[in-house]
PDB file of all heavy atoms in Angstrom:
ATOM      1  N   VAL U  69      65.505   2.186  20.112  1.00  0.00           N
ATOM      2  CA  VAL U  69      65.439   3.486  20.766  1.00  0.00           C
ATOM      3  C   VAL U  69      66.356   4.453  20.039  1.00  0.00           C
ATOM      4  O   VAL U  69      67.565   4.214  19.900  1.00  0.00           O
ATOM      5  CB  VAL U  69      65.930   3.346  22.242  1.00  0.00           C
ATOM      6  CG1 VAL U  69      65.911   4.684  22.956  1.00  0.00           C
ATOM      7  CG2 VAL U  69      65.010   2.327  23.008  1.00  0.00           C
ATOM      8  N   PRO U  70      65.805   5.585  19.544  1.00  0.00           N
ATOM      9  CA  PRO U  70      66.590   6.496  18.722  1.00  0.00           C
ATOM     10  C   PRO U  70      67.121   7.730  19.450  1.00  0.00           C
ATOM     11  O   PRO U  70      67.924   8.430  18.918  1.00  0.00           O
ATOM     12  CB  PRO U  70      65.590   6.932  17.622  1.00  0.00           C
ATOM     13  CG  PRO U  70      64.321   6.995  18.424  1.00  0.00           C
ATOM     14  CD  PRO U  70      64.365   5.920  19.501  1.00  0.00           C
ATOM     15  N   SER U  71      66.554   7.998  20.632  1.00  0.00           N
ATOM     16  CA  SER U  71      66.949   9.249  21.305  1.00  0.00           C
ATOM     17  C   SER U  71      67.390   8.991  22.766  1.00  0.00           C
ATOM     18  O   SER U  71      67.273   7.852  23.255  1.00  0.00           O
ATOM     19  CB  SER U  71      65.750  10.204  21.335  1.00  0.00           C
ATOM     20  OG  SER U  71      64.832   9.849  22.331  1.00  0.00           O
ATOM     21  N   GLY U  72      67.916  10.043  23.372  1.00  0.00           N
ATOM     22  CA  GLY U  72      68.442   9.892  24.754  1.00  0.00           C
ATOM     23  C   GLY U  72      67.450  10.275  25.811  1.00  0.00           C
ATOM     24  O   GLY U  72      67.838  10.450  26.978  1.00  0.00           O
ATOM     25  N   SER U  73      66.170  10.325  25.499  1.00  0.00           N
ATOM     26  CA  SER U  73      65.165  10.789  26.487  1.00  0.00           C
ATOM     27  C   SER U  73      64.953   9.836  27.638  1.00  0.00           C
ATOM     28  O   SER U  73      64.419  10.253  28.641  1.00  0.00           O
ATOM     29  CB  SER U  73      63.851  11.071  25.763  1.00  0.00           C
ATOM     30  OG  SER U  73      63.214   9.890  25.321  1.00  0.00           O
ATOM     31  N   MET U  74      65.346   8.579  27.440  1.00  0.00           N
ATOM     32  CA  MET U  74      65.162   7.576  28.522  1.00  0.00           C
ATOM     33  C   MET U  74      66.474   7.125  29.131  1.00  0.00           C
ATOM     34  O   MET U  74      66.516   6.125  29.856  1.00  0.00           O
ATOM     35  CB  MET U  74      64.342   6.405  28.001  1.00  0.00           C
ATOM     36  CG  MET U  74      62.858   6.649  27.867  1.00  0.00           C
ATOM     37  SD  MET U  74      62.057   6.967  29.459  1.00  0.00           S
ATOM     38  CE  MET U  74      62.242   5.337  30.254  1.00  0.00           C
ATOM     39  N   GLU U  75      67.569   7.814  28.809  1.00  0.00           N
ATOM     40  CA  GLU U  75      68.862   7.430  29.414  1.00  0.00           C
ATOM     41  C   GLU U  75      68.797   7.572  30.943  1.00  0.00           C
ATOM     42  O   GLU U  75      68.148   8.444  31.456  1.00  0.00           O
ATOM     43  CB  GLU U  75      69.957   8.331  28.862  1.00  0.00           C
ATOM     44  CG  GLU U  75      70.315   8.106  27.393  1.00  0.00           C
ATOM     45  CD  GLU U  75      71.329   9.097  26.875  1.00  0.00           C
ATOM     46  OE1 GLU U  75      71.482  10.189  27.470  1.00  0.00           O
ATOM     47  OE2 GLU U  75      71.958   8.760  25.841  1.00  0.00           O
ATOM     48  N   THR U  76      69.488   6.631  31.644  1.00  0.00           N
ATOM     49  CA  THR U  76      70.254   5.536  31.123  1.00  0.00           C
ATOM     50  C   THR U  76      69.475   4.200  31.241  1.00  0.00           C
ATOM     51  O   THR U  76      70.071   3.144  31.042  1.00  0.00           O
ATOM     52  CB  THR U  76      71.583   5.406  31.866  1.00  0.00           C
ATOM     53  OG1 THR U  76      71.296   5.299  33.296  1.00  0.00           O
ATOM     54  CG2 THR U  76      72.469   6.598  31.632  1.00  0.00           C
ATOM     55  N   SER U  77      68.191   4.299  31.541  1.00  0.00           N
ATOM     56  CA  SER U  77      67.366   3.062  31.508  1.00  0.00           C
ATOM     57  C   SER U  77      67.379   2.479  30.149  1.00  0.00           C
ATOM     58  O   SER U  77      67.461   1.258  29.971  1.00  0.00           O
ATOM     59  CB  SER U  77      65.940   3.417  31.935  1.00  0.00           C
ATOM     60  OG  SER U  77      65.919   4.009  33.249  1.00  0.00           O
ATOM     61  N   LEU U  78      67.215   3.315  29.115  1.00  0.00           N
ATOM     62  CA  LEU U  78      67.294   2.905  27.707  1.00  0.00           C
ATOM     63  C   LEU U  78      68.220   3.881  26.989  1.00  0.00           C
ATOM     64  O   LEU U  78      68.036   5.067  27.073  1.00  0.00           O
ATOM     65  CB  LEU U  78      65.909   2.903  27.037  1.00  0.00           C
ATOM     66  CG  LEU U  78      64.862   1.954  27.613  1.00  0.00           C
ATOM     67  CD1 LEU U  78      63.541   2.212  26.935  1.00  0.00           C
ATOM     68  CD2 LEU U  78      65.315   0.509  27.396  1.00  0.00           C
ATOM     69  N   ASN U  79      69.210   3.333  26.304  1.00  0.00           N
ATOM     70  CA  ASN U  79      70.154   4.181  25.581  1.00  0.00           C
ATOM     71  C   ASN U  79      69.869   4.200  24.095  1.00  0.00           C
ATOM     72  O   ASN U  79      69.161   3.340  23.564  1.00  0.00           O
ATOM     73  CB  ASN U  79      71.586   3.658  25.799  1.00  0.00           C
ATOM     74  CG  ASN U  79      72.057   3.886  27.243  1.00  0.00           C
ATOM     75  OD1 ASN U  79      71.536   4.764  27.962  1.00  0.00           O
ATOM     76  ND2 ASN U  79      73.018   3.099  27.657  1.00  0.00           N
ATOM     77  N   ILE U  80      70.443   5.178  23.417  1.00  0.00           N
ATOM     78  CA  ILE U  80      70.260   5.286  21.954  1.00  0.00           C
ATOM     79  C   ILE U  80      70.799   3.996  21.324  1.00  0.00           C
ATOM     80  O   ILE U  80      71.884   3.514  21.617  1.00  0.00           O
ATOM     81  CB  ILE U  80      71.031   6.472  21.386  1.00  0.00           C
ATOM     82  CG1 ILE U  80      70.492   7.784  21.959  1.00  0.00           C
ATOM     83  CG2 ILE U  80      71.005   6.502  19.874  1.00  0.00           C
ATOM     84  CD1 ILE U  80      71.308   9.007  21.612  1.00  0.00           C
ATOM     85  N   SER U 113      59.497  17.721  18.136  1.00  0.00           N
ATOM     86  CA  SER U 113      60.444  18.150  19.165  1.00  0.00           C
ATOM     87  C   SER U 113      61.315  17.039  19.685  1.00  0.00           C
ATOM     88  O   SER U 113      62.089  17.234  20.608  1.00  0.00           O
ATOM     89  CB  SER U 113      59.682  18.826  20.329  1.00  0.00           C
ATOM     90  OG  SER U 113      58.684  17.943  20.842  1.00  0.00           O
ATOM     91  N   GLU U 114      61.259  15.867  19.063  1.00  0.00           N
ATOM     92  CA  GLU U 114      62.043  14.736  19.550  1.00  0.00           C
ATOM     93  C   GLU U 114      62.318  13.710  18.465  1.00  0.00           C
ATOM     94  O   GLU U 114      61.505  13.509  17.581  1.00  0.00           O
ATOM     95  CB  GLU U 114      61.370  14.051  20.748  1.00  0.00           C
ATOM     96  CG  GLU U 114      62.190  12.955  21.371  1.00  0.00           C
ATOM     97  CD  GLU U 114      61.723  12.589  22.743  1.00  0.00           C
ATOM     98  OE1 GLU U 114      61.173  13.500  23.433  1.00  0.00           O
ATOM     99  OE2 GLU U 114      61.884  11.454  23.136  1.00  0.00           O
ATOM    100  N   ASN U 115      63.526  13.102  18.520  1.00  0.00           N
ATOM    101  CA  ASN U 115      63.790  11.997  17.630  1.00  0.00           C
ATOM    102  C   ASN U 115      62.800  10.866  17.882  1.00  0.00           C
ATOM    103  O   ASN U 115      62.306  10.701  19.011  1.00  0.00           O
ATOM    104  CB  ASN U 115      65.236  11.485  17.822  1.00  0.00           C
ATOM    105  CG  ASN U 115      66.266  12.453  17.420  1.00  0.00           C
ATOM    106  OD1 ASN U 115      66.072  13.231  16.476  1.00  0.00           O
ATOM    107  ND2 ASN U 115      67.392  12.507  18.111  1.00  0.00           N
ATOM    108  N   PHE U 117      61.021   6.774  16.711  1.00  0.00           N
ATOM    109  CA  PHE U 117      61.116   5.471  16.059  1.00  0.00           C
ATOM    110  C   PHE U 117      60.695   5.671  14.609  1.00  0.00           C
ATOM    111  O   PHE U 117      59.976   6.545  14.254  1.00  0.00           O
ATOM    112  CB  PHE U 117      60.198   4.418  16.708  1.00  0.00           C
ATOM    113  CG  PHE U 117      60.576   4.084  18.121  1.00  0.00           C
ATOM    114  CD1 PHE U 117      59.729   4.398  19.176  1.00  0.00           C
ATOM    115  CD2 PHE U 117      61.768   3.434  18.407  1.00  0.00           C
ATOM    116  CE1 PHE U 117      60.062   4.055  20.461  1.00  0.00           C
ATOM    117  CE2 PHE U 117      62.107   3.086  19.695  1.00  0.00           C
ATOM    118  CZ  PHE U 117      61.231   3.400  20.709  1.00  0.00           C
ATOM    119  N   LEU U 122      56.928   6.667  20.280  1.00  0.00           N
ATOM    120  CA  LEU U 122      57.762   7.310  21.347  1.00  0.00           C
ATOM    121  C   LEU U 122      57.830   6.344  22.545  1.00  0.00           C
ATOM    122  O   LEU U 122      56.974   5.452  22.693  1.00  0.00           O
ATOM    123  CB  LEU U 122      57.130   8.621  21.791  1.00  0.00           C
ATOM    124  CG  LEU U 122      57.100   9.729  20.763  1.00  0.00           C
ATOM    125  CD1 LEU U 122      56.076  10.761  21.140  1.00  0.00           C
ATOM    126  CD2 LEU U 122      58.450  10.359  20.578  1.00  0.00           C
ATOM    127  N   VAL U 123      58.806   6.530  23.428  1.00  0.00           N
ATOM    128  CA  VAL U 123      58.906   5.749  24.644  1.00  0.00           C
ATOM    129  C   VAL U 123      59.155   6.635  25.811  1.00  0.00           C
ATOM    130  O   VAL U 123      60.021   7.521  25.792  1.00  0.00           O
ATOM    131  CB  VAL U 123      60.052   4.662  24.504  1.00  0.00           C
ATOM    132  CG1 VAL U 123      61.393   5.297  24.228  1.00  0.00           C
ATOM    133  CG2 VAL U 123      60.093   3.751  25.706  1.00  0.00           C
ATOM    134  N   LYS U 124      58.387   6.448  26.887  1.00  0.00           N
ATOM    135  CA  LYS U 124      58.503   7.241  28.111  1.00  0.00           C
ATOM    136  C   LYS U 124      58.089   6.351  29.287  1.00  0.00           C
ATOM    137  O   LYS U 124      57.565   5.246  29.127  1.00  0.00           O
ATOM    138  CB  LYS U 124      57.585   8.435  28.092  1.00  0.00           C
ATOM    139  CG  LYS U 124      57.740   9.368  26.886  1.00  0.00           C
ATOM    140  CD  LYS U 124      59.030  10.160  26.910  1.00  0.00           C
ATOM    141  CE  LYS U 124      59.138  11.069  25.726  1.00  0.00           C
ATOM    142  NZ  LYS U 124      60.492  11.616  25.576  1.00  0.00           N
ATOM    143  N   ARG U 125      58.276   6.907  30.509  1.00  0.00           N
ATOM    144  CA  ARG U 125      57.818   6.185  31.706  1.00  0.00           C
ATOM    145  C   ARG U 125      56.458   6.740  32.139  1.00  0.00           C
ATOM    146  O   ARG U 125      56.238   7.931  32.209  1.00  0.00           O
ATOM    147  CB  ARG U 125      58.849   6.353  32.825  1.00  0.00           C
ATOM    148  CG  ARG U 125      58.534   5.410  34.040  1.00  0.00           C
ATOM    149  CD  ARG U 125      59.654   5.497  35.085  1.00  0.00           C
ATOM    150  NE  ARG U 125      60.935   5.087  34.574  1.00  0.00           N
ATOM    151  CZ  ARG U 125      61.395   3.838  34.518  1.00  0.00           C
ATOM    152  NH1 ARG U 125      60.594   2.808  34.960  1.00  0.00           N
ATOM    153  NH2 ARG U 125      62.582   3.530  34.056  1.00  0.00           N
ATOM    154  N   TYR U 155      65.829   5.447  38.748  1.00  0.00           N
ATOM    155  CA  TYR U 155      65.799   5.414  37.333  1.00  0.00           C
ATOM    156  C   TYR U 155      66.170   6.749  36.616  1.00  0.00           C
ATOM    157  O   TYR U 155      66.447   6.760  35.434  1.00  0.00           O
ATOM    158  CB  TYR U 155      64.449   4.942  36.769  1.00  0.00           C
ATOM    159  CG  TYR U 155      63.224   5.661  37.273  1.00  0.00           C
ATOM    160  CD1 TYR U 155      62.838   6.898  36.760  1.00  0.00           C
ATOM    161  CD2 TYR U 155      62.379   5.112  38.254  1.00  0.00           C
ATOM    162  CE1 TYR U 155      61.725   7.532  37.214  1.00  0.00           C
ATOM    163  CE2 TYR U 155      61.240   5.713  38.706  1.00  0.00           C
ATOM    164  CZ  TYR U 155      60.921   6.959  38.169  1.00  0.00           C
ATOM    165  OH  TYR U 155      59.780   7.593  38.567  1.00  0.00           O
ATOM    166  N   LEU U 156      66.127   7.883  37.342  1.00  0.00           N
ATOM    167  CA  LEU U 156      66.527   9.138  36.715  1.00  0.00           C
ATOM    168  C   LEU U 156      68.002   9.098  36.314  1.00  0.00           C
ATOM    169  O   LEU U 156      68.821   8.541  37.055  1.00  0.00           O
ATOM    170  CB  LEU U 156      66.301  10.301  37.637  1.00  0.00           C
ATOM    171  CG  LEU U 156      64.861  10.871  37.781  1.00  0.00           C
ATOM    172  CD1 LEU U 156      64.869  12.047  38.715  1.00  0.00           C
ATOM    173  CD2 LEU U 156      64.282  11.239  36.436  1.00  0.00           C
ATOM    174  N   LYS U 157      68.325   9.691  35.193  1.00  0.00           N
ATOM    175  CA  LYS U 157      69.737   9.790  34.809  1.00  0.00           C
ATOM    176  C   LYS U 157      70.506  10.542  35.819  1.00  0.00           C
ATOM    177  O   LYS U 157      70.022  11.566  36.389  1.00  0.00           O
ATOM    178  CB  LYS U 157      69.833  10.484  33.437  1.00  0.00           C
ATOM    179  CG  LYS U 157      71.269  10.525  32.895  1.00  0.00           C
ATOM    180  CD  LYS U 157      71.340  11.125  31.511  1.00  0.00           C
ATOM    181  CE  LYS U 157      72.761  11.115  30.985  1.00  0.00           C
ATOM    182  NZ  LYS U 157      72.869  11.672  29.628  1.00  0.00           N
ATOM    183  N   VAL U 160      70.540  14.550  36.842  1.00  0.00           N
ATOM    184  CA  VAL U 160      69.376  15.199  36.232  1.00  0.00           C
ATOM    185  C   VAL U 160      68.274  15.388  37.314  1.00  0.00           C
ATOM    186  O   VAL U 160      67.957  14.451  38.044  1.00  0.00           O
ATOM    187  CB  VAL U 160      68.814  14.373  35.070  1.00  0.00           C
ATOM    188  CG1 VAL U 160      67.510  14.959  34.525  1.00  0.00           C
ATOM    189  CG2 VAL U 160      69.836  14.327  33.961  1.00  0.00           C
ATOM    190  N   LEU U 179      56.731  10.800  31.515  1.00  0.00           N
ATOM    191  CA  LEU U 179      57.989  11.547  31.618  1.00  0.00           C
ATOM    192  C   LEU U 179      59.139  10.657  31.170  1.00  0.00           C
ATOM    193  O   LEU U 179      59.115   9.440  31.292  1.00  0.00           O
ATOM    194  CB  LEU U 179      58.248  12.023  33.030  1.00  0.00           C
ATOM    195  CG  LEU U 179      57.274  13.010  33.654  1.00  0.00           C
ATOM    196  CD1 LEU U 179      57.583  13.217  35.128  1.00  0.00           C
ATOM    197  CD2 LEU U 179      57.354  14.369  32.941  1.00  0.00           C
ATOM    198  N   GLY U 180      60.182  11.296  30.591  1.00  0.00           N
ATOM    199  CA  GLY U 180      61.404  10.562  30.274  1.00  0.00           C
ATOM    200  C   GLY U 180      62.297  10.447  31.485  1.00  0.00           C
ATOM    201  O   GLY U 180      62.201  11.262  32.402  1.00  0.00           O
ATOM    202  N   ASP U 181      63.150   9.462  31.533  1.00  0.00           N
ATOM    203  CA  ASP U 181      64.063   9.297  32.631  1.00  0.00           C
ATOM    204  C   ASP U 181      65.213  10.283  32.582  1.00  0.00           C
ATOM    205  O   ASP U 181      65.824  10.610  33.577  1.00  0.00           O
ATOM    206  CB  ASP U 181      64.651   7.868  32.671  1.00  0.00           C
ATOM    207  CG  ASP U 181      63.624   6.836  33.104  1.00  0.00           C
ATOM    208  OD1 ASP U 181      62.474   7.226  33.407  1.00  0.00           O
ATOM    209  OD2 ASP U 181      63.932   5.614  33.096  1.00  0.00           O
ATOM    210  N   ASN U 182      65.507  10.791  31.393  1.00  0.00           N
ATOM    211  CA  ASN U 182      66.468  11.860  31.211  1.00  0.00           C
ATOM    212  C   ASN U 182      65.697  13.161  31.042  1.00  0.00           C
ATOM    213  O   ASN U 182      65.513  13.655  29.915  1.00  0.00           O
ATOM    214  CB  ASN U 182      67.390  11.554  29.981  1.00  0.00           C
ATOM    215  CG  ASN U 182      68.395  12.624  29.783  1.00  0.00           C
ATOM    216  OD1 ASN U 182      68.587  13.526  30.598  1.00  0.00           O
ATOM    217  ND2 ASN U 182      69.150  12.547  28.689  1.00  0.00           N
ATOM    218  N   ARG U 183      65.280  13.741  32.136  1.00  0.00           N
ATOM    219  CA  ARG U 183      64.340  14.900  32.100  1.00  0.00           C
ATOM    220  C   ARG U 183      64.958  16.102  31.397  1.00  0.00           C
ATOM    221  O   ARG U 183      64.226  16.983  30.914  1.00  0.00           O
ATOM    222  CB  ARG U 183      63.941  15.273  33.541  1.00  0.00           C
ATOM    223  CG  ARG U 183      63.273  14.133  34.308  1.00  0.00           C
ATOM    224  CD  ARG U 183      61.851  13.897  33.894  1.00  0.00           C
ATOM    225  NE  ARG U 183      61.420  12.546  34.261  1.00  0.00           N
ATOM    226  CZ  ARG U 183      61.025  12.222  35.537  1.00  0.00           C
ATOM    227  NH1 ARG U 183      60.972  13.158  36.481  1.00  0.00           N
ATOM    228  NH2 ARG U 183      60.654  10.964  35.775  1.00  0.00           N
ATOM    229  N   ALA U 184      66.295  16.154  31.335  1.00  0.00           N
ATOM    230  CA  ALA U 184      66.972  17.258  30.701  1.00  0.00           C
ATOM    231  C   ALA U 184      66.898  17.191  29.178  1.00  0.00           C
ATOM    232  O   ALA U 184      67.250  18.139  28.479  1.00  0.00           O
ATOM    233  CB  ALA U 184      68.454  17.351  31.145  1.00  0.00           C
ATOM    234  N   ASN U 185      66.516  16.006  28.669  1.00  0.00           N
ATOM    235  CA  ASN U 185      66.452  15.806  27.215  1.00  0.00           C
ATOM    236  C   ASN U 185      65.217  14.994  26.845  1.00  0.00           C
ATOM    237  O   ASN U 185      65.332  14.008  26.113  1.00  0.00           O
ATOM    238  CB  ASN U 185      67.734  15.097  26.737  1.00  0.00           C
ATOM    239  CG  ASN U 185      67.817  14.952  25.241  1.00  0.00           C
ATOM    240  OD1 ASN U 185      67.345  15.828  24.489  1.00  0.00           O
ATOM    241  ND2 ASN U 185      68.444  13.881  24.779  1.00  0.00           N
ATOM    242  N   SER U 186      64.072  15.398  27.361  1.00  0.00           N
ATOM    243  CA  SER U 186      62.876  14.651  27.106  1.00  0.00           C
ATOM    244  C   SER U 186      61.693  15.569  26.899  1.00  0.00           C
ATOM    245  O   SER U 186      61.249  16.256  27.822  1.00  0.00           O
ATOM    246  CB  SER U 186      62.552  13.685  28.257  1.00  0.00           C
ATOM    247  OG  SER U 186      61.345  12.998  28.050  1.00  0.00           O
ATOM    248  N   ALA U 187      61.173  15.605  25.663  1.00  0.00           N
ATOM    249  CA  ALA U 187      59.977  16.428  25.364  1.00  0.00           C
ATOM    250  C   ALA U 187      58.747  15.575  25.721  1.00  0.00           C
ATOM    251  O   ALA U 187      58.138  14.994  24.832  1.00  0.00           O
ATOM    252  CB  ALA U 187      59.971  16.811  23.901  1.00  0.00           C
ATOM    253  N   ASP U 188      58.409  15.515  26.968  1.00  0.00           N
ATOM    254  CA  ASP U 188      57.363  14.637  27.495  1.00  0.00           C
ATOM    255  C   ASP U 188      56.076  15.405  27.784  1.00  0.00           C
ATOM    256  O   ASP U 188      55.879  16.498  27.251  1.00  0.00           O
ATOM    257  CB  ASP U 188      57.904  13.854  28.710  1.00  0.00           C
ATOM    258  CG  ASP U 188      58.650  14.743  29.670  1.00  0.00           C
ATOM    259  OD1 ASP U 188      58.155  15.871  29.940  1.00  0.00           O
ATOM    260  OD2 ASP U 188      59.706  14.345  30.142  1.00  0.00           O
ATOM    261  N   ARG U 190      55.219  17.252  30.110  1.00  0.00           N
ATOM    262  CA  ARG U 190      55.397  18.607  30.618  1.00  0.00           C
ATOM    263  C   ARG U 190      55.431  19.639  29.527  1.00  0.00           C
ATOM    264  O   ARG U 190      55.068  20.800  29.709  1.00  0.00           O
ATOM    265  CB  ARG U 190      56.727  18.689  31.391  1.00  0.00           C
ATOM    266  CG  ARG U 190      56.840  17.765  32.607  1.00  0.00           C
ATOM    267  CD  ARG U 190      58.270  17.776  33.137  1.00  0.00           C
ATOM    268  NE  ARG U 190      59.175  17.210  32.172  1.00  0.00           N
ATOM    269  CZ  ARG U 190      60.508  17.360  32.166  1.00  0.00           C
ATOM    270  NH1 ARG U 190      61.078  18.089  33.115  1.00  0.00           N
ATOM    271  NH2 ARG U 190      61.272  16.802  31.230  1.00  0.00           N
TER     272      ARG U 190
END
Side-chain angles (χ1 to χ4, degrees):
V69 178
S71 77
S73 69
M74 282 296 293
E75 291 176 337
T76 54
S77 301
L78 296 174
N79 291 338
I80 297 173
S113 53
E114 183 162 330
N115 292 326
F117 294 116
L122 295 161
V123 59
K124 306 289 180 192
R125 191 175 298 276
Y155 55 76
L156 281 182
K157 184 176 181 178
V160 173
L179 294 173
D181 289 357
N182 181 7
R183 304 282 160 81
N185 185 32
S186 177
D188 44 45
R190 299 170 296 164

